[in-house]
Amino acid sequence: MKLIIGNKNYSSWSLRGWLAAKQSGVAFEEITVPLYGDEWDEAKKGDDLAPSSGKVPILWDGETVVWDSLAIIDFLADKVGRDRFWPKDETARGMARSMVAEMHSSYLALRRQHPMNIRKRGEGHPVTDEARADIVRILTLWAEARARFGKGGPFLFGAFGAADIIYAPVVSRFITYAIPVPGFAVAYMQAVWEHEWLQAWIAAAEAEDWVIEKFEEPARA
Ligand SMILES: N[C@@H](CCC(=O)N[C@@H](CS)C(=O)NCC(=O)O)C(=O)O
């Protein structure tokens, strides 16, 4: 398999696709194309990015191509077995699928006003009412998943899975923008942040020297 991703520091959807590829256990080649520079404009015109109309992540499995992080999770779960990604229990799985879909379709204020920036550290970034509502909703869902289904491990549904993959960039935002969260969330976020795949991604993000100004000073809506 071949996975094309954007900058590790900024590309939250790429992080999801990359974690999904890791979770599948299938070997894959990883190609990073830095977003929004000259190289990006050139890459967007090429065949590799054509199916997604110039968006990352995009996964090639031989002649089969899958783009969009959620489709990549679904495709890989079909390929290697659902249990690697989703809880076995149907009630837990119903909630996990809903949480993943909600992350994929929602929280625009948090996503726009607090773009993923793994190298960033510190308080002082304003949190609007809209972003605050997103944060409260996410923390409520995390609390419920952990309380009802998280007994088997430190992740949302116990073992690391699709829900943790899709919320990993939110964990990053809460840490790097120093968003205050309750104790249960601190413990959950620590488990995600310390996961060996996250640590590898963070180290690679820190080693990148590309800077995208619009993500360094996001619109203060
Ligand atoms: N819904 C897509 C979103 C993909 C996306 O917007 N990726 C961004 C990078 S994080 C991108 O490719 N931006 C480049 C562009 O829009 O030109 C997914 O889940 O993968």
Side-chain angles (χ1 to χ4, degrees), residues 103-147:
M103 177 74 245
H104 197 252
S105 63
S106 313
Y107 314 134
L108 281 184
L110 179 68
R111 282 161 46 192
R112 288 199 181 133
Q113 294 163 22
H114 301 258
M116 191 175 89
N117 182 349
I118 285 179
R119 292 191 297 260
K120 181 183 168 61
R121 287 293 176 279
E123 299 167 21
H125 191 78
V127 180
T128 64
D129 289 347
E130 292 79 10
R132 172 81 50 215
D134 290 345
I135 292 165
V136 169
R137 171 67 180 162
I138 290 168
L139 289 171
T140 304
L141 292 173
W142 285 3
E144 187 182 337
R146 288 289 303 136

Side-chain angles (χ1 to χ4, degrees), residues 6-7 10-17 35-36 40 44 52-58 67-72 104 111 166 215:
N7 317 38
Y10 301 110
S11 183
S12 59
W13 298 110
S14 295
L15 170 56
R16 295 173 173 111
L35 289 167
Y36 309 129
W40 177 249
K44 276 179 88 156
S52 65
S53 184
K55 299 258 190 231
V56 285
I58 179 165
W67 63 95
D68 194 296
S69 53
L70 188 47
I72 291 171
H104 197 252
R111 282 161 46 192
I166 212 91
F215 296 144

Side-chain angles (χ1 to χ4, degrees), residues 32-103:
T32 301
V33 185
L35 289 167
Y36 309 129
D38 295 343
E39 219 178 313
W40 177 249
D41 292 338
E42 213 39 55
K44 276 179 88 156
K45 295 182 204 146
D47 292 344
D48 270 1
L49 287 177
S52 65
S53 184
K55 299 258 190 231
V56 285
I58 179 165
L59 179 75
W60 287 87
D61 184 8
E63 293 300 304
T64 304
V65 60
V66 191
W67 63 95
D68 194 296
S69 53
L70 188 47
I72 291 171
I73 289 174
D74 285 342
F75 174 79
L76 291 172
D78 286 347
K79 188 178 175 78
V80 301
R82 188 178 71 188
D83 295 352
R84 260 188 195 253
F85 285 86
W86 300 102
K88 283 193 179 68
D89 174 76
E90 193 171 80
T91 309
R93 198 166 60 251
M95 181 165 187
R97 285 204 179 269
S98 304
M99 284 178 66
V100 164
E102 187 165 327
M103 177 74 245

